Amino acid sequence: MKFHLCFLFLLVGFSTAFIPTRLLTFFSGAWSSLNHKVITQAGLWCSVIEFLKTNPNYVNKIRADELASVNTARLLEGSVSSRLFRLVKSSKFQDAVKEIEYANAAVDKNEAKKSAAHFDAEQFREGSKRLIRLKKQVVSLIKMADYTKARKDAGTLLHTLQDFYSHSNWIESGNNDPLSILGDEIISESNIAGTNEKTCNDCTSASFAHLLGLGTDDCQNNLLNTGKLTSGYYDVAKPVGVGKCSHGGIFDKSRKFDAKGGINKDASLRYLSPHYRRHQPAARVAIKATKLFFDSIRRDVGDTKFATFLNMEALRTLSFAIDTSGSMSVESCDV
């Protein structure tokens, strides 16, 4: 409990999304939480493993036997090992992954109050437009060989994409797979809760013990089943007297106003995430969505550029050129 209080200040700037890094996951006490870094690596590896199986010339030949034994089912659950990097020949591959991870984490720092960047405040149309724009930029930059900028935009996109699953009611609506149109289409307004449509009831008030780190509000049954998408408001004005959901967690000021509480699933601790019980399902679907993103980039730019985008290098094969003309003709016929 005291441990939580000592390090809460570290999370103030990173309280609007899946926890960005392992370090902050550790300090928050949310050890079972899957953070943005793990989600990104797990989804990326699920895509890269498929790429390596069809492009074995990019595999580290002394580790080739390990490729077949990779448990992709465990990857989809967020179980990622640093040993996977040994499969790829290029040492620069890990640097490319880090660039994507850093750009992902930077969204919480640079765009913390931008609702569309996190699918907060029911900004589904704006958030989906953002994903479309960023995806087009990533593809265009790869085709222009501006791989560094492409990796940065990919990380920025992935943060928003992953937050859709921890901030909206997609998981609570019974979905176990990603929303396939994200990145390609704008979410229809008819699928989004209306401005004056109630989406949440008040959560049960927190006890003093909860505020010390054991949790905040009891929000197990606060979300209404409207059949439409909704997401929580984070530290911004909610429509008065409507009953809109808040993001929730001890850093969200809006959780104190109607409807009190919140619905985020960013972490496995109640003091950060009112819907903490849904954190693991949300993270697993976010991993699937991350894989689908990298798969789509691969389809759009082709295997060679996809590999270069991730700093993967193919093994060079030794070849011989044989001159069959002139003075070498006799010797070459004897080969």
Side-chain angles (χ1 to χ4, degrees):
M1 186 184 304
K2 291 180 180 179
F3 183 80
H4 292 171
L5 292 173
C6 289
F7 293 102
L8 284 180
F9 74 94
L10 288 169
L11 292 168
V12 172
F14 301 101
S15 55
T16 62
F18 283 117
I19 301 173
T21 65
R22 285 189 176 95
L23 181 63
L24 288 173
T25 299
F26 175 77
F27 281 149
S28 70
W31 300 294
S32 62
S33 297
L34 299 180
N35 54 57
H36 274 292
K37 180 176 181 177
V38 171
I39 291 168
T40 298
Q41 280 198 20
L44 172 61
W45 271 115
C46 285
S47 183
V48 167
I49 292 299
E50 292 181 0
F51 171 85
L52 294 176
K53 287 180 177 179
T54 55
N55 294 273
N57 52 321
Y58 288 92
V59 180
N60 183 349
K61 62 180 181 180
I62 65 174
R63 301 289 181 183
D65 292 342
E66 297 177 18
L67 181 61
S69 64
V70 175
N71 190 332
T72 53
R74 294 205 63 192
L75 280 174
L76 288 170
E77 294 176 354
S79 179
V80 183
S81 170
S82 60
R83 290 178 295 179
L84 288 170
F85 286 100
R86 302 184 305 185
L87 295 173
V88 180
K89 174 182 177 290
S90 173
S91 60
K92 295 181 180 179
F93 170 68
Q94 192 165 4
D95 294 335
V97 176
K98 287 180 179 179
E99 287 181 47
I100 295 170
E101 292 170 356
Y102 292 156
N104 186 323
V107 176
D108 271 338
K109 180 180 180 181
N110 301 329
E111 299 182 277
K113 298 295 179 71
K114 189 172 183 178
S115 295
H118 309 277
F119 278 107
D120 289 337
E122 299 180 329
Q123 296 290 296
F124 293 108
R125 290 180 64 79
E126 294 78 4
S128 52
K129 288 176 184 177
R130 173 185 169 95
L131 293 180
I132 292 170
R133 172 178 57 80
L134 285 168
K135 184 178 178 182
K136 287 180 178 178
Q137 286 178 195
V138 171
V139 171
S140 178
L141 288 164
I142 292 174
K143 289 180 177 179
M144 293 189 297
D146 191 348
Y147 299 109
T148 300
K149 182 63 166 63
R151 289 189 286 269
K152 181 179 179 181
D153 282 355
T156 301
L157 179 153
L158 285 171
H159 187 103
T160 301
L161 178 66
Q162 292 161 0
D163 273 0
F164 173 82
Y165 301 100
S166 63
H167 291 188
S168 75
N169 62 334
W170 181 256
I171 300 300
E172 288 88 344
S173 298
N175 296 294
N176 297 313
D177 291 306
L179 178 57
S180 60
I181 66 168
L182 288 180
D184 297 313
E185 299 178 28
I186 300 171
I187 296 175
S188 172
E189 196 164 355
S190 63
N191 293 325
I192 304 169
T195 304
N196 297 312
E197 187 171 358
K198 183 176 181 178
T199 54
C200 270
N201 288 318
D202 285 345
C203 295
T204 304
S205 298
S207 69
F208 181 70
H210 287 157
L211 295 176
L212 290 179
L214 299 179
T216 53
D217 310 299
D218 184 357
C219 299
Q220 292 186 61
N221 301 305
N222 64 325
L223 188 62
L224 300 180
N225 183 13
T226 65
K228 297 179 182 179
L229 284 170
T230 188
S231 62
Y233 286 70
Y234 179 77
D235 208 16
V236 295
K238 293 191 289 186
V240 178
V242 175
K244 288 295 185 182
C245 305
S246 285
H247 178 82
I250 61 174
F251 300 111
D252 178 18
K253 296 177 183 177
S254 74
R255 72 181 178 88
K256 300 177 182 179
F257 303 99
D258 177 43
K260 297 177 182 178
I263 63 170
N264 93 72
K265 297 161 284 294
D266 291 336
S268 56
L269 287 177
R270 185 159 61 183
Y271 80 87
L272 294 175
S273 298
H275 282 203
Y276 66 100
R277 291 182 178 88
R278 306 277 187 146
H279 167 73
Q280 292 290 337
R284 286 195 292 269
V285 177
I287 290 170
K288 291 181 182 179
T290 300
K291 176 190 182 296
L292 291 178
F293 164 72
F294 285 110
D295 288 348
S296 68
I297 296 301
R298 179 185 172 189
R299 285 194 302 271
D300 288 345
V301 303
D303 282 3
T304 301
K305 285 189 174 293
F306 179 74
T308 309
F309 164 59
L310 294 175
N311 278 346
M312 291 190 283
E313 297 175 358
L315 290 168
R316 291 185 175 87
T317 56
L318 185 64
S319 60
F320 297 92
I322 301 176
D323 185 355
T324 59
S325 63
S327 60
M328 290 292 292
S329 59
V330 175
E331 289 85 347
S332 63
C333 287
D334 292 333
V335 173

